[in-house]
Amino acid sequence: MTATSQTHPACLPMDSGPVAPTNPLLTFLEQLQETALKTLGPKNFDPKLYVDLSLKSNLSTAQDAFNRLPRAENGTVSFTDLDFFMQSYWNGAGEDLVYAEPVDFSPEPEGFLPAVENPEVREWALEVHWLWKSLCRRVAGGVLESPEKHTLIALPQPVMIPGSRFREVYYWDSYWVIRGLLASKMYETAKGIVSNLVYLVDEFGFVLNGARTYYSNRSQPPLLSSMVHDIYIRTGDMDLAKESLPALVKEHDFWNSGVHRVVVRDAQGHNHTLSRYYAMWNEPRPESSTIDKETASKLTNDSEKQHLYRELASAAETGWDFSTRWMRDASDLTTLATTSIIPVDLNSFILKMELDIAFLANVIGDSTTAAHFIEAAQARKRGMNAIFWNEEMGQWLDYWLSDRTTCKEDGYTWEASNQNRNVFASNFIPLWIELFNSDGTLVEKVMQSFRSSGLLRAAGIATSLTNTGQQWDFPNGWAPLQHLIVEGLVRSGSKEARYLAEDIAVRWIRTNYVAYKKSGAMHEKYDVEKCGEFGGGGEYNPQTGFGWSNGVVLAFLEEFGWPQDLKIYCQ
């Protein structure tokens, strides 16, 4: 089903909107996932494992064998029979990606982190640098030969996976992986990641959440332009700028048309066009199908279930899956309302995209495109100031398209009461953008607001102030949020802001170091209340590896160094 031309995308009924096509392999793997859950039980069951499998023979042969499996009266299959079926017809999850040696890896790159003077910290930084070798993969030949046997998408260049259960490329993770690779002087590997994401835009019209067919119904926070920009700044690679620009313009169109585009009229009667997350899906997410069905089981109406499934997938598109930020009732995941929210961070990333496209267009001599995107950026900045900015709080606040708001053909009318006044780390992300961090008075105000927000804890910045057991809530801290806020403060050029930024970075580096020394691993998220403890919560076990955590530690050490006499252990 697609949005009708008669209805403004912002005014769609609750279970409407586009639905991306699926394929027979995925449909069958979801069936296998359900059977495995009944056989193995819920303890440590990870549904994603099953949709990452690949076929040894053809699908119809596997289906026939599956249908012949002996079943008990309640439909369950014995562990022995299921295990035999799995061994006979399926390759293990992750086997379609094989180890690849990064072409530009050096055990200790020339000029690596020159300001890290403390020998303990330097030794650890090199160990983190070495993790790139363990996370580098390339797509196995069989995926290219028989794509119908795999959920993995055949990307042309070697990839960096986040780690653990995340055995494929992820979109927004890749930005911080690239920041780490730049600190590691691994420019070719970084460019390869961009080539892969550009390939996805060419194939699908946007960058998928991850490089699996089951992610083709949604994207993730759009940071491809930032990747291209940052690599260009380091390398001056004109070919990269030229080859990437058409994909960036195409991605910009994806986020600024159809269901993603929302028009809001401000208090002065001016219309502003902003963007929201909106997955092209209204069924359980294949990688979490059994979990989503369980979540929806308390709803009786099929239309309500479809709506919830769209909201779950849309929350996954935000990268913050899950958080009270998207919920009407913090204690009830079925109240997710992601598509009814215009998010501060998404619009910050798209504003950055507009500025990056203008910059890259200027670099290659396309002044017309540059002028168009500078104009688009100025318009979005005005929209963000009008719709998100809260002078009293000194923060940018997500805007709710509430049920009470009248939606007309030309969009919504702004109401102050629809700003979400809860404090989230995302309320400070616009500081990352030059159009905001270049305003000294604004930086001062936002910095004071941040200091009194309650977000800064012993081991870094908390994601929210609400402890719900969701992983994008208190007390978890995440590498990308630390980096966006720290780098925004640094970019302002204010000495006071840099001092605050360094304080946050030191707390974050310490907790990563101590956790690494205790566990031998870098973690996906950390508990900011307890130095040296990794985070928890959410719908899967805590993961290690870990792409963006490695990248942010290396980026922080590159920016701030670590003096000889500064202690690295928890204070």
Side-chain angles (χ1 to χ4, degrees):
M1 180 167 65
T2 56
T4 61
S5 55
Q6 292 83 17
T7 309
H8 188 278
C11 307
L12 288 167
M14 63 190 279
D15 59 344
S16 294
V19 178
T22 186
N23 63 61
L25 174 60
L26 264 180
T27 305
F28 178 61
L29 285 171
E30 288 183 69
Q31 206 182 334
L32 178 59
Q33 190 188 86
E34 292 228 0
T35 302
L37 176 60
K38 284 176 187 164
T39 299
L40 304 173
K43 193 172 183 212
N44 295 324
F45 181 81
D46 187 352
K48 184 179 183 298
L49 174 78
Y50 296 89
V51 291
D52 290 355
L53 302 171
S54 59
L55 283 160
K56 287 183 176 178
S57 55
N58 61 50
L59 179 59
S60 58
T61 306
Q63 282 175 316
D64 289 345
F66 179 75
N67 292 334
R68 289 196 306 271
L69 288 173
R71 284 172 169 79
E73 277 184 30
N74 64 358
T76 58
V77 173
S78 75
F79 175 82
T80 308
D81 288 338
L82 181 65
D83 187 54
F84 180 77
F85 170 74
M86 300 295 287
Q87 302 290 340
S88 303
Y89 294 93
W90 300 95
N91 297 307
E95 285 184 24
D96 38 17
L97 274 176
V98 295
Y99 176 76
E101 179 79 19
V103 293
D104 47 2
F105 180 83
S106 163
E108 185 163 0
E110 191 178 337
F112 179 68
L113 306 183
V116 177
E117 296 164 357
N118 182 304
E120 278 179 292
V121 178
R122 183 160 197 84
E123 184 186 349
W124 171 59
L126 279 167
E127 287 181 40
V128 174
H129 162 73
W130 271 76
L131 292 173
W132 299 133
K133 278 173 73 82
S134 67
L135 295 173
C136 192
R137 303 281 189 280
R138 63 177 171 77
V139 174
V143 184
L144 295 163
E145 291 157 20
S146 307
E148 75 284 353
K149 294 180 180 177
H150 303 263
T151 61
L152 190 73
I153 292 166
L155 296 173
Q157 299 292 330
V159 304
M160 284 285 172
I161 61 169
S164 297
R165 78 194 285 269
F166 301 112
R167 357 176 141 79
E168 54 279 311
V169 166
Y170 282 82
Y171 183 7
W172 77 315
D173 296 61
S174 295
Y175 175 66
W176 289 279
V177 167
I178 282 175
R179 289 299 299 262
L181 290 170
L182 295 178
S184 289
K185 317 292 185 187
M186 293 172 65
Y187 305 133
E188 291 310 307
T189 301
K191 288 177 197 175
I193 293 173
V194 164
S195 296
N196 285 331
L197 300 184
V198 166
Y199 170 82
L200 291 174
V201 177
D202 291 342
E203 287 291 306
F204 295 92
F206 61 98
V207 185
L208 276 55
N209 180 147
R212 294 263 179 196
T213 54
Y214 54 75
Y215 287 136
S216 62
N217 55 55
R218 62 181 189 259
S219 187
Q220 250 192 347
L223 287 158
L224 178 56
S225 72
S226 295
M227 302 180 210
V228 177
H229 173 275
D230 289 6
I231 296 171
Y232 176 80
I233 293 297
R234 298 280 183 123
T235 65
D237 189 329
M238 189 73 81
D239 289 339
L240 179 78
K242 276 184 188 159
E243 288 160 15
S244 305
L245 197 58
L248 297 180
V249 173
K250 193 173 184 179
E251 185 187 33
H252 184 268
D253 185 56
F254 169 79
W255 285 107
N256 290 282
S257 59
V259 289
H260 294 105
R261 179 178 179 270
V262 185
V263 177
V264 183
R265 179 175 286 116
D266 69 19
Q268 282 69 49
H270 302 299
N271 278 352
H272 300 282
T273 302
L274 293 168
S275 305
R276 64 171 164 183
Y277 293 107
Y278 202 112
M280 298 167 283
W281 199 240
N282 62 359
E283 294 176 47
R285 294 166 296 150
E287 76 282 8
S288 303
S289 180
T290 52
I291 297 170
D292 286 359
K293 284 178 182 173
E294 175 67 25
T295 304
S297 62
K298 65 164 84 168
L299 303 175
T300 52
N301 181 302
D302 282 349
S303 171
E304 284 180 355
K305 286 185 179 183
Q306 278 192 331
H307 175 63
L308 174 61
Y309 293 144
R310 191 180 294 279
E311 297 298 339
L312 285 160
S314 299
E317 186 170 60
T318 74
W320 288 47
D321 43 340
F322 296 102
S323 170
T324 51
R325 191 178 165 202
W326 316 119
M327 293 154 67
R328 296 185 191 278
D329 174 351
S331 63
D332 185 356
L333 197 58
T334 67
T335 67
L336 278 171
T338 323
T339 62
S340 296
I341 296 165
I342 312 179
V344 168
D345 47 359
L346 173 61
N347 285 280
S348 301
F349 298 143
I350 298 172
L351 173 56
K352 176 75 160 54
M353 188 194 299
E354 289 158 350
L355 294 169
D356 291 339
I357 291 173
F359 170 82
L360 293 163
N362 265 328
V363 158
I364 66 171
D366 182 351
S367 56
T368 308
T369 298
H372 171 75
F373 279 93
I374 285 291
E375 200 176 307
Q378 293 293 349
R380 190 171 302 270
K381 182 193 176 187
R382 288 193 296 274
M384 291 176 68
N385 284 337
I387 307 306
F388 298 143
W389 177 248
N390 186 293
E391 182 69 23
E392 178 198 345
M393 289 178 67
Q395 299 173 26
W396 293 269
L397 307 179
D398 291 338
Y399 186 77
W400 281 70
L401 305 169
S402 79
D403 299 333
R404 296 189 308 279
T405 312
T406 307
C407 184
K408 298 175 182 168
E409 287 302 297
D410 58 352
Y412 293 86
T413 302
W414 187 85
E415 294 175 24
S417 59
N418 287 1
Q419 286 187 329
N420 184 351
R421 295 174 70 92
N422 292 323
V423 177
F424 300 99
S426 49
N427 296 7
F428 299 93
I429 284 176
L431 207 56
W432 190 55
I433 313 300
E434 186 189 355
L435 290 182
F436 296 113
N437 64 41
S438 56
D439 179 340
T441 309
L442 179 69
V443 170
E444 181 63 37
K445 185 172 185 69
V446 173
M447 201 161 47
Q448 285 177 354
S449 175
F450 175 76
R451 281 199 167 112
S452 61
S453 68
L455 288 174
L456 185 54
R457 300 289 170 144
I461 301 167
T463 311
S464 79
L465 297 179
T466 316
N467 191 340
T468 58
Q470 300 297 344
Q471 61 171 353
W472 287 84
D473 275 321
F474 190 86
N476 284 345
W478 295 78
L481 302 180
Q482 318 297 314
H483 186 257
L484 290 164
I485 292 171
V486 164
E487 190 159 78
L489 290 165
V490 168
R491 284 175 175 174
S492 73
S494 147
K495 277 188 182 172
E496 191 189 349
R498 185 178 177 88
Y499 180 78
L500 174 60
E502 188 162 7
D503 176 39
I504 298 164
V506 165
R507 295 176 197 221
W508 188 252
I509 291 166
R510 277 191 174 126
T511 202
N512 279 251
Y513 177 86
V514 173
Y516 182 89
K517 287 296 173 185
K518 283 199 294 192
S519 66
M522 293 291 287
H523 296 268
E524 178 193 26
K525 53 188 179 273
Y526 293 85
D527 181 338
V528 295
E529 287 279 83
K530 302 170 187 159
C531 182
E533 294 293 326
F534 57 84
E539 62 181 28
Y540 55 81
N541 292 329
Q543 303 295 298
T544 59
F546 196 89
W548 62 19
S549 299
N550 309 347
V552 169
V553 158
L554 293 175
F556 280 171
L557 289 172
E558 184 177 48
E559 177 65 49
F560 300 107
W562 198 277
Q564 178 86 28
D565 56 352
L566 183 62
K567 297 282 184 282
I568 185 61
Y569 291 97
C570 295
Q571 299 297 291

